[in-house]
Amino acid sequence: MFGRDRKRSSDIPSILLVDDDKGQLDVFATWMTAIRPNALIRTADSVQEALTLIDSHKFSLIISDYSIPHTGAGLDIFEAAMQSGLPQSGFIMLSGTTDNLP
């Protein structure tokens, strides 16, 4: 009553998914939307797009591929996320390969 059941926009989780494989990104976004229907799901298929989104939005969770065609890729996204104020526990890095992990 009187709007108490409404969530403020700051209460709505905002999740960024980053992967250069657009097919994988679409599947991941569909799955995330199904399990978190009240969350705002954003996607980026490049490091630059991810950095722009991180600079302009406050995310509560960022899930990023490590291996994106760009020098530093996943680590650049991680650093930008930390600089944005996201706690380390709000960042998950995934990789389908271990070939290029430090």
Side-chain angles (χ1 to χ4, degrees):
M1 188 167 261
F2 301 108
R4 279 188 271 161
D5 292 334
R6 282 186 171 165
K7 286 191 166 198
R8 292 175 291 154
S9 61
S10 63
D11 293 339
I12 297 172
S14 183
I15 301 170
L16 175 61
L17 307 173
V18 186
D19 197 321
D20 62 311
D21 181 331
K22 291 181 184 184
Q24 182 70 23
L25 189 59
D26 287 344
V27 169
F28 198 24
T30 299
W31 174 76
M32 187 61 74
T33 300
I35 65 167
R36 295 301 303 259
N38 295 327
L40 172 63
I41 309 296
R42 304 291 302 257
T43 62
D45 63 9
S46 70
V47 173
Q48 188 55 49
E49 185 179 8
L51 296 177
T52 299
L53 286 168
I54 291 168
D55 191 45
S56 61
H57 295 83
K58 179 132 177 91
F59 291 100
S60 42
L61 175 65
I62 298 174
I63 303 174
S64 176
D65 185 15
Y66 172 78
S67 183
I68 300 173
H70 172 81
T71 304
L75 296 178
D76 288 349
I77 296 168
F78 174 76
E79 180 153 329
M82 296 304 99
Q83 289 176 358
S84 77
L86 184 73
Q88 285 185 1
S89 61
F91 190 90
I92 299 171
M93 191 173 300
L94 306 172
S95 183
T97 180
T98 58
D99 294 344
N100 57 358
L101 295 177

